[in-house]
Amino acid sequence: DHARKGDGSVIPELAGLNSSIEHVLLDTRSDPASGVTAYRAARANGASSIVGAARSAVSVPLGYVETEDVMPAVSYWSSTPALSDQKLFPLFARTFPSDSDSAAAMVTVLRNMGWEHFSAISVADEYANGYMQAVSRNAAACGLTLSRVSTFEYGNADSAARAVQGLVSGGANIVTANVVLLIAFDVDLPAIFATADELGMLDAPYAWFAPDSFFASDLGALLAAGQLTAGLYGKLAGFNQVFISQKSSAGYARYEAAWRQLTPESCEALGEGGVGPSGDNGYNASRLTAADFRGPPPEVGSYAYDAAAAIALAIQNCSSNGTDGALRDHAAAAARGQELAAAIRGLAFSGASGEVGFKQGLGDRATNGLDIAMFNWQLQPAGGGGGGEKLADVAVLRYSLSTLLTPGGEACAENATSSLPEPDPMWVWLGGGSSPPRDRLVLERERLAADLAASQQRAREAEERERQRQVVLGAVLGPALLLLAAVRLLRRRRRQHREQLLTLDPLSAGHVEAGRALERAQAEARGGGLARPGGGGAGGGGRGQPAADG
């Protein structure tokens, strides 16, 4: 509408445009098959370009058809890195940043929070697959370990519940990561959060993070629809999201001001049923009320506004080359599709989502001027006079993406920042904590290291006690053992000396004994009176005869 009227209140470059661009609103229902149906309807209505789709799971299959039909497309929410492939999607562009950038920012935030391990629950679709691939690549560069990844089918509550259980399975002795990254859409949140609550995962020491695939306001809608209990809703205070956010840009302020001037009736007046899904790929305004326009606008709307503006500006540029009329003609538009796609990629303007441009040679949004923000879910008064509380996403961190990543968009490199700004002091964590929980696997590693160190210390102390005992025994028993050894040595030497004497005497042992007997007899004779020597006389009897009495 602003492009047709030349209204530059949000995007200055639209001023005086006076474009004759027309539009038709069609609903993909976030489903690939419905997306193809909507695309065929757009093509049948003579569309020369597409704004959308929102989900990557829809934009990827549409991209193949758009390439074949030479139909340029600008998405406002499809972020999978797969859409950057120029061989497959040469006509695709997006005002929403690629997950190659936002996933790198997410990983850097986790690393700079001091954690080393995390797990992930992920829906199995193009968007989540691309996001997780970027997460895995950047986690390796940042030295983070992605401990477990559990996937589930979109819209399948049982599958979502099993995915949550898969993060903590393995038995009571298995310690799992307490930092959880969730990539999901609002339809699967009731089953995910209910199962997590049953497993005690919505309390300390857990920390949950998510990109921008859902918002705190979605949980309020689920609560109102009876899909969440009030108790479970309240436990989500402390949940965190990290994504590229342009709410602080001047363009967003202009967009918000324009939003507050809208009414449901003004949306109806836009034609083709206004806004809000209904019927067979049609729309109505039943989901929007005057109260919606008094509140803040959906941030994704700023990217959608810029996507539509990009096509309007590109068509205007082509018009100056004489191709505007051809673009309104379906057959000619197909022939000119390449030229229109090139005109889109060559744009640079001050958009509702900040400064809009595209990476050279790609349809990806340039990261210049983009901000990364961390939002913390906090309970605040609901207002409106009804009392109660609601979850609000409060920005606790915000910084330029260019300071967080390398020029090539990679995380944790030498020329990327190594620290985060000071967070908001009102930051809350699951369970009501005021500080982030420590990495549970790191704590377990420290506990095991402490146990090992204590065991080694006990072993060293036991060795020291044994050494000291040996020293004491040596001090007491040493001299006694030496004395005993000396006595035994002396006895052995005496015995050896006697044996040597016997060996050296020329007499036999018998002669020695006979000699000793003679010596005793002589001694006795001297004691009783001995005969004089010689023969004859009164005392001179023959040999062997006794002597006479004196």
Side-chain angles (χ1 to χ4, degrees):
D1 187 51
H2 284 183
R4 284 199 299 264
K5 296 177 179 178
D7 186 340
S9 61
V10 177
I11 297 179
E13 288 83 353
L14 291 180
L17 190 63
N18 195 25
S19 172
S20 59
I21 187 172
E22 298 177 359
H23 71 275
V24 57
L25 299 176
L26 299 165
D27 187 13
T28 68
R29 296 193 176 98
S30 295
D31 173 71
S34 297
V36 172
T37 300
Y39 172 80
R40 288 173 177 167
R43 183 170 166 79
N45 276 278
S48 61
S49 54
I50 302 293
V51 175
R55 281 188 67 199
S56 297
V58 179
S59 288
V60 168
L62 284 187
Y64 298 126
V65 182
E66 290 161 351
T67 299
E68 184 177 350
D69 293 342
V70 198
M71 178 76 76
V74 183
S75 174
Y76 53 89
W77 210 20
S78 295
S79 55
T80 179
L83 288 165
S84 301
D85 190 329
Q86 293 305 289
K87 292 182 180 179
L88 297 178
F89 310 106
L91 305 178
F92 178 84
R94 48 185 160 194
T95 54
F96 194 84
S98 167
D99 283 333
S100 292
D101 301 317
S102 55
M106 173 69 82
V107 169
T108 305
V109 168
L110 296 181
R111 193 282 304 269
N112 288 350
M113 292 296 293
W115 296 315
E116 297 180 18
H117 309 84
F118 66 102
S119 296
I121 305 173
S122 171
V123 63
D125 75 348
E126 290 286 351
Y127 154 68
N129 292 343
Y131 190 93
M132 286 307 304
Q133 288 175 7
V135 163
S136 299
R137 182 179 66 253
N138 284 282
C142 290
L144 268 69
T145 299
L146 181 54
S147 301
R148 294 189 181 187
V149 178
S150 288
T151 60
F152 63 91
E153 300 174 11
Y154 175 78
N156 187 324
D158 291 338
S159 178
R162 288 193 297 271
V164 179
Q165 294 166 352
L167 292 190
V168 295
S169 62
N173 295 327
I174 302 299
V175 178
T176 56
N178 59 315
V179 179
V180 180
L181 175 61
L182 174 61
I183 302 96
F185 297 99
D186 56 352
V187 66
D188 295 305
L189 297 182
I192 290 173
F193 288 139
T195 306
D197 186 35
E198 293 173 0
L199 297 172
M201 297 174 66
L202 294 183
D203 207 338
Y206 280 90
W208 286 67
F209 285 79
D212 54 352
S213 53
F214 58 88
F215 302 95
S217 57
D218 294 325
L219 277 297
L222 293 171
L223 175 65
Q227 298 183 49
L228 285 180
T229 66
L232 181 56
Y233 179 79
K235 284 188 174 182
L236 295 174
F239 194 93
N240 301 285
Q241 291 183 278
V242 176
F243 53 86
I244 295 173
S245 172
Q246 294 300 93
K247 286 186 176 181
S248 63
S249 69
Y252 192 87
R254 298 192 298 267
Y255 160 68
E256 184 171 8
W259 169 267
R260 294 182 186 277
Q261 296 175 14
L262 294 175
T263 65
E265 291 73 25
S266 61
C267 289
E268 286 283 358
L270 290 176
E272 299 297 332
V275 295
S278 79
D280 205 9
N281 287 304
Y283 280 76
N284 61 46
S286 62
R287 292 203 309 184
L288 291 174
T289 67
D292 293 319
F293 294 110
R294 288 195 298 268
E299 185 171 1
V300 68
S302 66
Y303 297 104
Y305 188 101
D306 289 343
I311 289 178
L313 290 169
I315 288 177
Q316 180 70 13
N317 291 343
C318 288
S319 176
S320 63
N321 296 329
T323 59
D324 185 29
L327 288 169
R328 294 194 210 101
D329 177 74
H330 177 68
R336 298 288 187 175
Q338 293 283 2
E339 187 174 349
L340 178 57
I344 292 171
R345 295 182 178 200
L347 290 171
F349 59 92
S350 300
S353 62
E355 296 301 315
V356 177
F358 300 93
K359 294 180 180 180
Q360 185 174 6
L362 297 172
D364 289 345
R365 170 79 175 259
T367 57
N368 296 338
L370 294 180
D371 288 343
I372 279 289
M374 180 180 293
F375 294 91
N376 180 232
W377 290 6
Q378 300 179 11
L379 287 172
Q380 297 181 349
E389 293 180 313
K390 68 174 183 179
L391 284 173
D393 47 1
V394 178
V396 290
L397 285 176
R398 185 180 292 275
Y399 41 91
S400 173
L401 184 64
S402 61
T403 66
L404 192 67
L405 307 180
T406 68
E410 298 301 319
C412 301
E414 291 182 359
N415 52 342
T417 186
S418 60
S419 61
L420 296 175
E422 284 297 320
D424 190 302
M426 299 304 293
W427 197 342
V428 299
W429 296 87
L430 293 178
S434 59
S435 59
R438 290 201 60 196
D439 187 321
R440 188 161 62 181
L441 288 173
V442 171
L443 289 174
E444 179 66 10
R445 184 180 66 202
E446 292 176 353
R447 184 188 69 79
L448 293 174
D451 288 348
L452 178 60
S455 176
Q456 293 174 339
Q457 179 63 25
R458 288 192 296 269
R460 287 192 294 269
E461 291 173 353
E463 291 177 358
E464 179 62 19
R465 287 194 298 270
E466 177 62 20
R467 188 188 68 79
Q468 292 177 356
R469 189 180 70 85
Q470 293 293 340
V471 169
V472 170
L473 288 175
V476 174
L477 298 179
L481 292 175
L482 288 174
L483 179 60
L484 178 61
V487 171
R488 294 181 63 184
L489 178 62
L490 180 60
R491 289 177 177 176
R492 183 167 60 251
R493 288 182 175 178
R494 286 180 175 177
R495 185 171 57 251
Q496 291 173 348
H497 180 67
R498 287 195 300 270
E499 292 174 352
Q500 290 174 352
L501 289 176
L502 292 175
T503 302
L504 295 174
D505 196 325
L507 299 177
S508 66
H511 293 161
V512 172
E513 184 60 30
R516 289 176 178 173
L518 179 59
E519 289 175 354
R520 287 195 297 271
Q522 290 175 347
E524 292 175 354
R526 283 194 298 270
L530 296 175
R532 289 185 294 273
R543 182 177 178 181
Q545 293 180 348
D549 292 338

